[in-house]
Amino acid sequence: MKTLDPLDGIAAFLTVSTHLSFTKAAEELSMARATVGAQVRQLEDRLGIRLFQRSTRKVALTEAGAAYRQALSGILPQIREAERAAISFQKEAVGRLRVSAPPDLGHLVIVPAVSEFLKLNPAVSVELDLSHRPVNLVEDGFDLAIRGRLEVDINLITRQLATSSIVISASPAYIAEHGVPMTPHDLVHHACLHFAELRWGRIWPFSRDGEEFRIPIVPRLELNHSLGLRDAAVLGLGIVLLPDFVVGEDLRQGRLVRLLPDWDISTIQLQAVYPANRHIAVKVRRFVSFLAGKLRP
């Protein structure tokens, strides 16, 4: 059974009833006169009653048509206001922005960026989910996700925000007690602090001069929270492998010391991912651009 749209023909009916002219209604609606007439006839057929008396020179409302117009009084302004409300999301940064991000990047980068973004965009509110769990943007209702690495669906848009190096480091106290590893192979003799969410498992990858080395480690401490691992490293518990956005300030302040600087380790591509759509909301586009500007340095 075909489902009928209850709004079909109503705009045409109300416009004709205002002007009592199909020609003027067609001009106002930017339609062909025949189209306006067809929409009104279809509406009459659906209702099973004549709404207009028509002659070659005059159009007049029937009694039923006048009652119908009275009952519909105010509906077009409401529809136009609803359209303006919807269109405003494409013209201004408004509404709630739901963002998923990993906890470490969230605490260190995203939360400060969100605070500044909200001051610049007072009509926006943000719901921030900080977790490592994979999210389905559409099914879970997120506007975008920020991740270090994503398997991206073809229906998603990916924008690279920044690249973060991964560095290996330890505290001065740990180095003073246990010494400095001279090669990645020396790590087997040290206490290693391991991030449990690493996609390649309990392997620390290194390369130099085109040669790659994959060093299996037995963690002294394993956590799924990089900020906790950083704290353990600062306290002297062992050697840690973490992104520079997590340990960068500790390295600059001397709380941690970079190890094996002549060896290359993997990098993390920080990405913003959001559903592909011709009509991306202004709040999403503006936040992604703002975040890219914050992360790029």
Side-chain angles (χ1 to χ4, degrees), residues 183-188 192 200-206 212-218 260 263:
T183 73
H185 299 285
D186 294 338
L187 292 172
V188 297
C192 294
W200 51 76
R202 293 176 179 172
I203 300 290
W204 287 7
F206 297 85
E212 295 185 356
F213 302 87
R214 294 170 57 83
I215 308 301
I217 57 107
V218 178
L260 302 173
W263 296 78

mmCIF file of all heavy atoms in Angstrom, residues 183-188 192 200-206 212-218 260 263:
data_model
loop_
_atom_site.group_PDB
_atom_site.id
_atom_site.type_symbol
_atom_site.label_atom_id
_atom_site.label_comp_id
_atom_site.label_asym_id
_atom_site.label_seq_id
_atom_site.Cartn_x
_atom_site.Cartn_y
_atom_site.Cartn_z
ATOM 1 N N THR A 183 71.596 -0.608 22.420
ATOM 2 C CA THR A 183 70.890 -1.079 21.231
ATOM 3 C C THR A 183 69.517 -1.593 21.665
ATOM 4 O O THR A 183 69.301 -1.893 22.864
ATOM 5 C CB THR A 183 71.638 -2.225 20.526
ATOM 6 O OG1 THR A 183 71.509 -3.430 21.302
ATOM 7 C CG2 THR A 183 73.118 -1.873 20.327
ATOM 8 N N PRO A 184 68.569 -1.745 20.738
ATOM 9 C CA PRO A 184 67.264 -2.289 21.115
ATOM 10 C C PRO A 184 67.358 -3.676 21.752
ATOM 11 O O PRO A 184 66.532 -4.017 22.606
ATOM 12 C CB PRO A 184 66.512 -2.338 19.784
ATOM 13 C CG PRO A 184 67.110 -1.241 18.973
ATOM 14 C CD PRO A 184 68.562 -1.259 19.327
ATOM 15 N N HIS A 185 68.379 -4.452 21.367
ATOM 16 C CA HIS A 185 68.507 -5.798 21.923
ATOM 17 C C HIS A 185 68.812 -5.772 23.414
ATOM 18 O O HIS A 185 68.535 -6.740 24.126
ATOM 19 C CB HIS A 185 69.601 -6.562 21.171
ATOM 20 C CG HIS A 185 69.308 -6.724 19.706
ATOM 21 N ND1 HIS A 185 68.386 -7.620 19.224
ATOM 22 C CD2 HIS A 185 69.818 -6.067 18.629
ATOM 23 C CE1 HIS A 185 68.337 -7.530 17.897
ATOM 24 N NE2 HIS A 185 69.190 -6.591 17.508
ATOM 25 N N ASP A 186 69.365 -4.663 23.916
ATOM 26 C CA ASP A 186 69.658 -4.555 25.347
ATOM 27 C C ASP A 186 68.404 -4.444 26.192
ATOM 28 O O ASP A 186 68.466 -4.576 27.421
ATOM 29 C CB ASP A 186 70.545 -3.325 25.609
ATOM 30 C CG ASP A 186 71.924 -3.461 24.988
ATOM 31 O OD1 ASP A 186 72.349 -4.605 24.739
ATOM 32 O OD2 ASP A 186 72.563 -2.415 24.758
ATOM 33 N N LEU A 187 67.252 -4.189 25.555
ATOM 34 C CA LEU A 187 66.018 -4.007 26.317
ATOM 35 C C LEU A 187 65.594 -5.277 27.058
ATOM 36 O O LEU A 187 64.840 -5.201 28.030
ATOM 37 C CB LEU A 187 64.889 -3.560 25.383
ATOM 38 C CG LEU A 187 65.035 -2.152 24.788
ATOM 39 C CD1 LEU A 187 63.966 -1.904 23.728
ATOM 40 C CD2 LEU A 187 64.960 -1.093 25.873
ATOM 41 N N VAL A 188 66.089 -6.425 26.619
ATOM 42 C CA VAL A 188 65.730 -7.673 27.303
ATOM 43 C C VAL A 188 66.270 -7.691 28.720
ATOM 44 O O VAL A 188 65.820 -8.488 29.558
ATOM 45 C CB VAL A 188 66.222 -8.903 26.510
ATOM 46 C CG1 VAL A 188 65.552 -8.971 25.153
ATOM 47 C CG2 VAL A 188 67.743 -8.886 26.379
ATOM 48 N N CYS A 192 60.553 -3.115 31.247
ATOM 49 C CA CYS A 192 59.818 -2.418 30.186
ATOM 50 C C CYS A 192 58.378 -2.167 30.635
ATOM 51 O O CYS A 192 57.720 -3.052 31.186
ATOM 52 C CB CYS A 192 59.834 -3.240 28.901
ATOM 53 S SG CYS A 192 61.485 -3.405 28.169
ATOM 54 N N TRP A 200 50.475 -3.838 17.498
ATOM 55 C CA TRP A 200 51.404 -4.920 17.136
ATOM 56 C C TRP A 200 51.768 -5.801 18.336
ATOM 57 O O TRP A 200 52.656 -6.622 18.266
ATOM 58 C CB TRP A 200 52.676 -4.344 16.504
ATOM 59 C CG TRP A 200 53.312 -3.243 17.319
ATOM 60 C CD1 TRP A 200 54.051 -3.391 18.451
ATOM 61 C CD2 TRP A 200 53.256 -1.844 17.058
ATOM 62 N NE1 TRP A 200 54.460 -2.177 18.916
ATOM 63 C CE2 TRP A 200 53.991 -1.200 18.080
ATOM 64 C CE3 TRP A 200 52.671 -1.081 16.052
ATOM 65 C CZ2 TRP A 200 54.142 0.183 18.130
ATOM 66 C CZ3 TRP A 200 52.826 0.293 16.115
ATOM 67 C CH2 TRP A 200 53.547 0.915 17.134
ATOM 68 N N GLY A 201 51.084 -5.640 19.469
ATOM 69 C CA GLY A 201 51.288 -6.526 20.603
ATOM 70 C C GLY A 201 52.550 -6.216 21.392
ATOM 71 O O GLY A 201 53.061 -5.089 21.386
ATOM 72 N N ARG A 202 53.079 -7.224 22.065
ATOM 73 C CA ARG A 202 54.246 -7.033 22.949
ATOM 74 C C ARG A 202 55.549 -7.078 22.148
ATOM 75 O O ARG A 202 56.463 -7.851 22.435
ATOM 76 C CB ARG A 202 54.245 -8.097 24.038
ATOM 77 C CG ARG A 202 53.095 -7.946 25.016
ATOM 78 C CD ARG A 202 53.069 -9.066 26.015
ATOM 79 N NE ARG A 202 51.960 -8.895 26.959
ATOM 80 C CZ ARG A 202 51.602 -9.811 27.860
ATOM 81 N NH1 ARG A 202 52.257 -10.969 27.918
ATOM 82 N NH2 ARG A 202 50.604 -9.581 28.674
ATOM 83 N N ILE A 203 55.573 -6.258 21.142
ATOM 84 C CA ILE A 203 56.738 -6.113 20.271
ATOM 85 C C ILE A 203 57.063 -4.630 20.174
ATOM 86 O O ILE A 203 56.161 -3.813 19.919
ATOM 87 C CB ILE A 203 56.471 -6.667 18.857
ATOM 88 C CG1 ILE A 203 56.129 -8.158 18.901
ATOM 89 C CG2 ILE A 203 57.663 -6.399 17.937
ATOM 90 C CD1 ILE A 203 57.285 -9.051 19.252
ATOM 91 N N TRP A 204 58.341 -4.266 20.380
ATOM 92 C CA TRP A 204 58.748 -2.877 20.184
ATOM 93 C C TRP A 204 59.555 -2.807 18.889
ATOM 94 O O TRP A 204 60.623 -3.423 18.783
ATOM 95 C CB TRP A 204 59.567 -2.378 21.375
ATOM 96 C CG TRP A 204 58.711 -2.137 22.605
ATOM 97 C CD1 TRP A 204 57.398 -2.442 22.753
ATOM 98 C CD2 TRP A 204 59.143 -1.558 23.830
ATOM 99 N NE1 TRP A 204 56.961 -2.089 24.003
ATOM 100 C CE2 TRP A 204 58.012 -1.529 24.698
ATOM 101 C CE3 TRP A 204 60.346 -1.057 24.306
ATOM 102 C CZ2 TRP A 204 58.065 -1.026 25.992
ATOM 103 C CZ3 TRP A 204 60.398 -0.548 25.596
ATOM 104 C CH2 TRP A 204 59.269 -0.529 26.419
ATOM 105 N N PRO A 205 59.054 -2.094 17.884
ATOM 106 C CA PRO A 205 59.707 -2.073 16.572
ATOM 107 C C PRO A 205 60.735 -0.947 16.449
ATOM 108 O O PRO A 205 60.484 0.199 16.843
ATOM 109 C CB PRO A 205 58.527 -1.826 15.620
ATOM 110 C CG PRO A 205 57.577 -1.000 16.433
ATOM 111 C CD PRO A 205 57.746 -1.403 17.872
ATOM 112 N N PHE A 206 61.879 -1.265 15.878
ATOM 113 C CA PHE A 206 62.938 -0.281 15.634
ATOM 114 C C PHE A 206 63.457 -0.469 14.217
ATOM 115 O O PHE A 206 63.330 -1.547 13.620
ATOM 116 C CB PHE A 206 64.102 -0.471 16.613
ATOM 117 C CG PHE A 206 63.737 -0.253 18.059
ATOM 118 C CD1 PHE A 206 63.197 -1.279 18.820
ATOM 119 C CD2 PHE A 206 63.946 0.979 18.659
ATOM 120 C CE1 PHE A 206 62.859 -1.082 20.149
ATOM 121 C CE2 PHE A 206 63.615 1.191 19.985
ATOM 122 C CZ PHE A 206 63.071 0.155 20.734
ATOM 123 N N GLU A 212 65.178 -3.439 9.830
ATOM 124 C CA GLU A 212 64.141 -3.413 10.853
ATOM 125 C C GLU A 212 64.404 -4.473 11.920
ATOM 126 O O GLU A 212 64.890 -5.566 11.631
ATOM 127 C CB GLU A 212 62.762 -3.654 10.223
ATOM 128 C CG GLU A 212 62.335 -2.550 9.260
ATOM 129 C CD GLU A 212 60.923 -2.753 8.741
ATOM 130 O OE1 GLU A 212 60.316 -3.798 9.082
ATOM 131 O OE2 GLU A 212 60.438 -1.869 8.008
ATOM 132 N N PHE A 213 64.063 -4.104 13.154
ATOM 133 C CA PHE A 213 64.230 -5.006 14.290
ATOM 134 C C PHE A 213 62.944 -4.997 15.097
ATOM 135 O O PHE A 213 62.409 -3.938 15.424
ATOM 136 C CB PHE A 213 65.396 -4.555 15.187
ATOM 137 C CG PHE A 213 66.713 -4.469 14.482
ATOM 138 C CD1 PHE A 213 67.088 -3.309 13.811
ATOM 139 C CD2 PHE A 213 67.576 -5.555 14.458
ATOM 140 C CE1 PHE A 213 68.298 -3.233 13.155
ATOM 141 C CE2 PHE A 213 68.796 -5.484 13.801
ATOM 142 C CZ PHE A 213 69.154 -4.324 13.138
ATOM 143 N N ARG A 214 62.436 -6.180 15.397
ATOM 144 C CA ARG A 214 61.238 -6.316 16.211
ATOM 145 C C ARG A 214 61.635 -7.006 17.509
ATOM 146 O O ARG A 214 61.940 -8.199 17.522
ATOM 147 C CB ARG A 214 60.166 -7.117 15.461
ATOM 148 C CG ARG A 214 59.639 -6.382 14.230
ATOM 149 C CD ARG A 214 58.761 -7.272 13.360
ATOM 150 N NE ARG A 214 57.627 -7.825 14.088
ATOM 151 C CZ ARG A 214 56.486 -7.180 14.293
ATOM 152 N NH1 ARG A 214 56.335 -5.945 13.831
ATOM 153 N NH2 ARG A 214 55.503 -7.752 14.948
ATOM 154 N N ILE A 215 61.626 -6.233 18.582
ATOM 155 C CA ILE A 215 62.137 -6.717 19.858
ATOM 156 C C ILE A 215 60.980 -7.180 20.736
ATOM 157 O O ILE A 215 60.148 -6.360 21.151
ATOM 158 C CB ILE A 215 62.927 -5.602 20.581
ATOM 159 C CG1 ILE A 215 63.990 -4.998 19.662
ATOM 160 C CG2 ILE A 215 63.534 -6.142 21.864
ATOM 161 C CD1 ILE A 215 64.995 -5.995 19.150
ATOM 162 N N PRO A 216 60.882 -8.491 21.011
ATOM 163 C CA PRO A 216 59.840 -8.962 21.932
ATOM 164 C C PRO A 216 60.197 -8.552 23.362
ATOM 165 O O PRO A 216 61.357 -8.636 23.775
ATOM 166 C CB PRO A 216 59.872 -10.486 21.756
ATOM 167 C CG PRO A 216 61.247 -10.783 21.271
ATOM 168 C CD PRO A 216 61.710 -9.595 20.483
ATOM 169 N N ILE A 217 59.215 -8.067 24.099
ATOM 170 C CA ILE A 217 59.476 -7.642 25.479
ATOM 171 C C ILE A 217 58.536 -8.381 26.431
ATOM 172 O O ILE A 217 57.436 -8.809 26.059
ATOM 173 C CB ILE A 217 59.337 -6.115 25.633
ATOM 174 C CG1 ILE A 217 57.949 -5.649 25.180
ATOM 175 C CG2 ILE A 217 60.392 -5.381 24.819
ATOM 176 C CD1 ILE A 217 57.048 -5.247 26.283
ATOM 177 N N VAL A 218 59.019 -8.553 27.667
ATOM 178 C CA VAL A 218 58.204 -9.111 28.748
ATOM 179 C C VAL A 218 57.944 -7.967 29.721
ATOM 180 O O VAL A 218 58.850 -7.532 30.436
ATOM 181 C CB VAL A 218 58.928 -10.267 29.460
ATOM 182 C CG1 VAL A 218 58.066 -10.797 30.605
ATOM 183 C CG2 VAL A 218 59.265 -11.381 28.487
ATOM 184 N N LEU A 260 68.027 5.603 22.998
ATOM 185 C CA LEU A 260 68.210 5.078 21.645
ATOM 186 C C LEU A 260 67.812 6.115 20.579
ATOM 187 O O LEU A 260 67.024 5.821 19.667
ATOM 188 C CB LEU A 260 67.391 3.787 21.457
ATOM 189 C CG LEU A 260 67.723 2.644 22.433
ATOM 190 C CD1 LEU A 260 66.731 1.499 22.259
ATOM 191 C CD2 LEU A 260 69.152 2.153 22.219
ATOM 192 N N TRP A 263 67.881 5.389 16.698
ATOM 193 C CA TRP A 263 67.020 4.345 16.149
ATOM 194 C C TRP A 263 65.634 4.926 15.881
ATOM 195 O O TRP A 263 65.097 5.687 16.679
ATOM 196 C CB TRP A 263 66.911 3.165 17.119
ATOM 197 C CG TRP A 263 68.229 2.483 17.332
ATOM 198 C CD1 TRP A 263 69.264 2.903 18.123
ATOM 199 C CD2 TRP A 263 68.660 1.278 16.717
ATOM 200 N NE1 TRP A 263 70.315 2.035 18.064
ATOM 201 C CE2 TRP A 263 69.979 1.016 17.196
ATOM 202 C CE3 TRP A 263 68.083 0.382 15.819
ATOM 203 C CZ2 TRP A 263 70.706 -0.097 16.801
ATOM 204 C CZ3 TRP A 263 68.811 -0.724 15.432
ATOM 205 C CH2 TRP A 263 70.108 -0.956 15.917
#
